[in-house]
C-alpha cells in the first residue's frame, strides 16, 4: 500500500489535466461540509463557527490526502445520534477513532466475519 505514496511514482505531466477535477472535489466537499455543519447547528440549537469548522475539515482532508486517504467531511448522522443519546463528551470520538484504527491494522478483513 505504501508504494503508492512514493513521490517518484507521480506522473506530474498529468496534473494540469486534473485541475477541473480537483476544483470540483473541493467544491463538493466544501458544500457537503457546509450542509453537515448546518445540520449539526440545527440539532444543537446554537450557532457554530462555520469558518473554524471548514478549516478543520480542510486540514483533515489535506492530512488524509498526504497519507493516502480519501476526502471527506463530518459523519453528521453519528454526531446527531450521539447528541440525541445525551453524549456531550469528546470521548465518543476518541473511542470510535481507536476502534477504527484497530480495525485497519488487523491482519484479516473484519467485514468478512
Amino acid at each position: 500500500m505504501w508504494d503508492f505514496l512514493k513521490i517518484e511514482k507521480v506522473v506530474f505531466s498529468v496534473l494540469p489535466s486534473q485541475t477541473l477535477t480537483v476544483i470540483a472535489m473541493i467544491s463538493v466537499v466544501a458544500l457537503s461540509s457546509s450542509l453537515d455543519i448546518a445540520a449539526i447547528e440545527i440539532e444543537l440549537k446554537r450557532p457554530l463557527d462555520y469558518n473554524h469548522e471548514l478549516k478543520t475539515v480542510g486540514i483533515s482532508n489535506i492530512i488524509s490526502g498526504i497519507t493516502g486517504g480519501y476526502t471527506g467531511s463530518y459523519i453528521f448522522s453519528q454526531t446527531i445520534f450521539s447528541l440525541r443519546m445525551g453524549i456531550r463528551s469528546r470521548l465518543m470520538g476518541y473511542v470510535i477513532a481507536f476502534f477504527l484504527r484497530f480495525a485497519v491494522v488487523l491482519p484479516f478483513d473484519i467485514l468478512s466475519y
Side-chain angles (χ1 to χ4, degrees):
M1 177 178 121
W2 297 108
D3 288 338
F4 293 114
L5 297 178
K6 292 184 178 174
I7 195 75
E8 62 269 6
K9 292 193 176 202
V10 176
V11 183
F12 288 100
S13 61
V14 179
L15 291 180
S17 67
Q18 298 300 312
T19 304
L20 288 177
T21 302
V22 171
I23 291 170
M25 284 178 51
I26 291 170
S27 300
V28 166
V29 171
L31 177 63
S32 65
S33 295
S34 294
L35 293 173
D36 294 345
I37 294 166
I40 293 168
E41 192 175 54
I42 289 169
E43 183 66 25
L44 283 174
K45 296 176 181 53
R46 67 177 173 85
L48 293 174
D49 182 1
Y50 272 76
N51 196 34
H52 173 74
E53 300 297 331
L54 290 176
K55 281 182 185 177
T56 302
V57 171
I59 292 168
S60 300
N61 280 323
I62 289 170
I63 293 169
S64 178
I66 289 171
T67 57
Y70 297 101
T71 61
S73 185
Y74 296 103
I75 304 175
F76 75 94
S77 57
Q78 178 68 47
T79 303
I80 291 173
F81 176 75
S82 298
L83 289 171
R84 289 183 181 175
M85 293 296 296
I87 300 169
R88 298 288 192 250
S89 169
R90 291 181 187 219
L91 181 61
M92 173 76 145
Y94 295 128
V95 169
I96 290 172
F98 171 79
F99 281 107
L100 289 177
R101 283 192 189 110
F102 179 72
V104 167
V105 298
L106 287 174
F108 56 89
D109 182 14
I110 196 167
L111 294 178
S112 65
Y113 293 97

